[in-house]
Amino acid sequence: MATLLHLDSSLYPQGSASRDVTATFRKEWEAQHPDGKVIYRDLAAEPLPHLELDAALAGFTAPDQRTAEQSAAFVLRDQLAAELEEADAILIGAPMYNFTIPSTLKAWLDQVIIMGRTAGEKPSAAGTPVVVVASRGGSYAPGTPREGFEFVQTYLEKVLGGGLGLDVEFIVPELTLARTNPAMADLIELADASKAKAHEDAATKAKALASRLAA
């Protein structure tokens, strides 16, 4: 039975480009894995707490040497790490807010990154495929005027791939504000094409991962 860990972090429950594309991926995934399991976390609707001192120190302290406060604080980190380790594939909706990821997604990362377990020399979930839907209102692609302001893919590639050892792929629906921002009216056609390709890529990657896991 295949398990998908699905994280959404968009503030918007409706009309979110990243949520729409992750929904397409998940629909196709569930079609391929009708008896599978989905672990879902809506990080905007139910945000995780920021990493605090006791929880951080617990990650560097042997279980039998933790204080009662550290042990209690580590329960959530242990649960999140276990969800990551259980997953056969991971799906993350990561819209660009102020040039980077939502703070709710950063909170999840801070909680789940545990040196000597999920991170370090032998990350416990190493090799797990992860598809990140990195939506953005404009374009930050190579060669565009704002290329240097892109800190979603650049950051997540390092922390998910280099830090957690995951096999990272991106789907990038861009120019998502074209239909609501008059200044971007000339970009509507490009925006629609990007949206269509994102949904196509989501379905294709879900099928490809299903075949890969079945092999």
Side-chain angles (χ1 to χ4, degrees):
M1 180 178 73
T3 297
L4 175 69
L5 174 59
H6 176 187
L7 309 174
D8 276 324
S9 61
S10 170
L11 287 171
Y12 305 99
Q14 303 294 330
S16 161
S18 65
R19 286 182 187 271
D20 286 348
V21 177
T22 60
T24 293
F25 181 102
R26 179 168 168 177
K27 180 180 178 180
E28 186 59 48
W29 171 272
E30 291 179 327
Q32 300 295 321
H33 299 283
D35 299 320
K37 176 181 178 181
V38 176
I39 302 170
Y40 181 61
R41 284 189 176 273
D42 187 331
L43 300 176
E46 298 183 51
L48 298 168
H50 289 293
L51 184 64
E52 295 183 348
L53 181 60
D54 283 330
L57 291 176
F60 296 97
T61 305
D64 61 351
Q65 297 180 18
R66 291 171 185 159
T67 66
E69 292 78 13
Q70 289 172 351
S71 295
F74 194 72
V75 170
L76 176 61
R77 300 192 72 192
D78 183 57
Q79 178 186 352
L80 296 172
E83 291 175 356
L84 178 73
E85 293 160 346
E86 181 183 354
D88 295 293
I90 302 164
L91 172 65
I92 300 175
M96 177 185 282
Y97 291 163
N98 300 316
F99 309 122
T100 189
I101 64 173
S103 62
T104 52
L105 180 54
K106 180 61 163 62
W108 177 82
L109 287 165
D110 287 341
Q111 295 282 4
V112 83
I113 295 173
I114 303 172
M115 292 303 299
R117 181 175 172 180
T118 60
E121 292 186 9
K122 296 181 179 180
S124 54
T128 303
V130 53
V131 174
V132 179
V133 179
S135 59
R136 60 280 312 272
S139 179
Y140 300 79
T144 61
R146 290 206 165 186
E147 175 184 356
F149 289 82
E150 204 293 315
F151 299 107
V152 174
Q153 287 174 265
T154 50
Y155 171 68
L156 290 178
E157 185 175 22
K158 298 295 186 298
V159 72
L160 296 175
L164 296 174
L166 306 177
D167 182 6
V168 188
E169 291 187 274
F170 290 94
I171 297 173
V172 186
E174 60 179 13
L175 303 170
T176 63
L177 293 178
R179 287 191 171 274
T180 57
N181 184 346
M184 298 175 66
D186 292 343
L187 301 173
I188 289 177
E189 186 174 344
L190 289 175
D192 289 347
S194 179
K195 177 181 178 179
K197 185 176 187 305
H199 283 279
E200 180 182 346
D201 287 350
T204 298
K205 289 181 187 299
K207 290 178 183 178
L209 280 180
S211 298
R212 173 176 163 183
L213 293 173

